[in-house]
Amino acid sequence: NAANHLMHNKEITQKLKNQQAESVFITSDLHDDDYLVRVLKTHGYTVDYASFIEFKPVDFEYPKDANWLFFSSKNGVKYFFNSEFRIQTSDFNIAAINSGTAQAIYELGLKVDFIGEGSDLQKIAADFDAVASGKIVFAQAKKSMQSIQKGLVYNKNAESLTVYENQPKENIGQRSEEI
């Protein structure tokens, strides 16, 4: 959740205070208004960031007869809803692995029926398993670790739906940041 994310960022900035570095490179797609970037710049660091992973949509068939649609990332939300399919909110119950993924769903004007809490994937799987029933479709990356699916005990009617693939970017240049 947001509090855990904030605490993690504070731990990072505290560790950096003990360094003699002046520049930081973060391997993630961030924005200048993200908390971590703002804090680092406030403390005098030169900050640069870029993802070393590229994402691409994958053709998929609209899930049929599903009771739940589970999203384990904002990318899953993005690539599922950027497809040619337009779902009705009554088609499924919608689940999100965390509040960040839920926010991406809310921004599309949809409701979220389950939001995982914390970062313990086994606990999120158990919590979801306790409320879900029927057929569950997991919108995911091609090489998903399927942590939530593997953690289900009671709900075995689950299907993986690959909606995007991720792979390392090629031709990444040499970086000169100290951290």
Side-chain angles (χ1 to χ4, degrees):
N1 64 29
N4 286 342
H5 185 70
L6 184 62
M7 181 60 79
H8 181 68
N9 287 337
K10 286 183 179 183
E11 290 173 10
I12 291 170
T13 54
Q14 186 63 41
K15 289 178 181 178
L16 285 171
K17 285 181 182 180
N18 299 328
Q19 302 289 324
Q20 297 298 318
E22 296 177 7
S23 58
V24 176
F25 179 73
I26 303 168
T27 58
S28 183
D29 278 333
L30 298 176
H31 303 282
D32 282 339
D33 62 346
D34 285 334
Y35 176 80
L36 182 58
V37 174
R38 289 191 333 258
V39 168
L40 289 170
K41 287 183 176 184
T42 300
H43 286 90
Y45 292 96
T46 301
V47 180
D48 197 9
Y49 44 84
S51 176
F52 286 173
I53 300 171
E54 60 185 355
F55 302 92
K56 295 180 182 176
V58 170
D59 290 336
F60 61 91
E61 291 188 25
Y62 189 79
K64 294 178 177 52
D65 303 325
N67 300 93
W68 284 88
L69 185 58
F70 190 102
F71 292 95
S72 56
S73 72
K74 291 185 270 186
N75 284 317
V77 172
K78 173 183 174 181
Y79 289 105
F80 181 85
F81 289 106
N82 280 346
S83 69
E84 62 194 59
F85 306 115
R86 295 290 168 246
I87 72 164
Q88 302 296 317
T89 55
S90 59
D91 286 354
F92 311 102
N93 288 309
I94 298 177
I97 196 163
N98 58 30
S99 60
T101 301
Q103 183 61 38
I105 297 166
Y106 289 138
E107 289 172 3
L108 296 170
L110 300 171
K111 71 181 181 86
V112 181
D113 301 290
F114 172 86
I115 303 171
E117 295 181 8
S119 59
D120 181 342
L121 297 180
Q122 289 179 333
K123 181 179 180 331
I124 293 170
D127 292 347
F128 180 64
D129 206 16
V131 299
S133 63
K135 183 177 178 181
I136 304 164
V137 173
F138 290 86
Q140 63 189 32
K142 186 175 184 179
K143 297 177 184 175
S144 171
M145 293 176 19
Q146 301 183 343
S147 300
I148 303 301
Q149 292 98 306
K150 291 176 183 175
L152 298 178
V153 174
Y154 303 108
N155 291 286
K156 294 298 186 183
N157 188 5
E159 178 181 302
S160 297
L161 179 67
T162 301
V163 297
Y164 72 100
E165 63 181 341
N166 52 15
Q167 55 194 21
K169 285 185 179 177
E170 295 181 18
N171 303 322
I172 297 172
Q174 182 75 21
R175 306 295 317 178
S176 61
E177 291 81 10
E178 297 159 294
I179 296 179

